[in-house]
Amino acid sequence: AGALLSLAADDDIEKAIAQAGAIEPLIALVRTGESAGAKESAAGALSNLAFDADNKKAIAQAGGIAPLIALVRSGESAVAKENAAAALWNLAADADNKKAIAQAGGIPPLVELVRTGASAEAKANAAGALWNLAADADNKKAIAEAGGIAPLVALVRTGESAEAKANAAGALWNLAVDADNQKAIAEAGGIAPLVALVRTGESAQAKADAAGALKNLAADADNRKAISKAGGIAPLVALVRTGESAEAKANAAGALWNLAVDADNQKAIAEAGGIAPLVALVRTGESA
């Protein structure tokens, strides 16, 4: 399994490994491997294989989801949990798998891994899996009901890596499409750390994801005022002006659009110099 873990990182070899029939024995190894190391390597190989769209479906069809969830829940090593969460993260990019992972009970152990994971990578992978799962409407509610909002907010605030913070913000972005979650994220103290991430995020992706979360949160009237009070307008304006990606600029502009429903925020956005970069963004066509 260790050799397959390395080989499966290559796009062409991913397909060749799957076509050679390796998926089922890797799943069997995750399920019944005699050592923690074997399970770790098998889960890691499945994670790499699951970057491929066809392999996402093949792993699910071969029964790979349940043993990966079991490994997240009760794996004998931190790396085993970390690799299994990474595999579920990649698998959950597929719409059918989003539902299958939830139906197999995958959400509570992923939430628990965000809360208590032994490594920054484990927390980041679990948050990434929840990010993808939260694109499904039913899963948005299920993640909230499983207590997922508070640990995701905590990860945005104190995550040990830029990836962990970005993935947690991405999960909150998707969760905040739901009106109840918009309120729950604010009540969990999510606005201030998201504003801070827009301002000082260690990666362009983290800033983009945090701005996306604020955009959705600002659909709520109380949140519009709270984002402004938390100092959110100035960093969003700055992100529109100097964001490193079109996604970051578009998300920041979307957040300002929602914030500007509030009359006081209209004045604050203008005072923060927001009009010129928004006009420039419309002119250059970078936003969706």
Side-chain angles (χ1 to χ4, degrees), residues 248-260:
K249 292 182 177 184
N251 287 350
L256 292 171
W257 180 5
N258 283 343
L259 287 167

Side-chain angles (χ1 to χ4, degrees), residues 41-243:
S41 295
L46 289 172
S47 174
N48 286 341
L49 289 169
F51 280 107
D52 178 82
D54 291 336
N55 288 348
K56 286 178 181 28
K57 296 184 181 298
I59 291 168
Q61 290 166 0
I65 287 174
L68 287 166
I69 290 171
L71 198 59
V72 170
R73 183 183 295 111
S74 56
E76 298 168 32
S77 72
V79 174
K81 292 184 177 186
E82 179 181 305
N83 289 353
L88 291 171
W89 178 6
N90 290 336
L91 288 169
D94 177 89
D96 291 335
N97 288 349
K98 286 177 175 58
K99 296 183 182 297
I101 291 167
Q103 290 167 358
I107 288 174
L110 287 166
V111 167
E112 184 60 23
L113 193 60
V114 171
R115 183 182 293 113
T116 63
S119 68
E121 190 69 20
K123 292 182 178 183
N125 291 349
L130 291 174
W131 182 2
N132 279 347
L133 288 168
D136 177 88
D138 292 333
N139 289 349
K140 290 182 196 350
K141 296 184 181 297
I143 292 167
E145 290 169 359
I149 287 174
L152 287 166
V153 167
L155 195 59
V156 171
R157 184 184 296 112
T158 60
E160 297 172 34
S161 69
E163 182 182 40
K165 290 183 178 183
N167 290 354
L172 293 172
W173 177 5
N174 279 345
L175 287 168
V177 171
D178 180 90
D180 291 335
N181 288 347
Q182 290 164 10
K183 296 183 182 298
I185 291 166
E187 290 168 359
I191 287 174
L194 287 166
V195 168
L197 197 59
V198 171
R199 183 184 294 112
T200 61
E202 298 170 35
S203 70
Q205 190 63 56
K207 291 183 178 184
D209 296 342
L214 291 173
K215 175 181 69 174
N216 286 344
L217 287 168
D220 177 87
D222 291 334
N223 288 350
R224 285 194 278 275
K225 295 183 182 299
I227 291 167
S228 178
K229 288 180 181 177
I233 288 175
L236 286 166
V237 167
L239 194 60
V240 173
R241 184 183 294 114
T242 62

Side-chain angles (χ1 to χ4, degrees), residues 18-36:
Q19 291 167 358
I23 286 176
E24 290 189 4
L26 285 169
I27 290 170
L29 200 56
V30 170
R31 185 182 292 112
T32 60
E34 295 181 7
S35 70

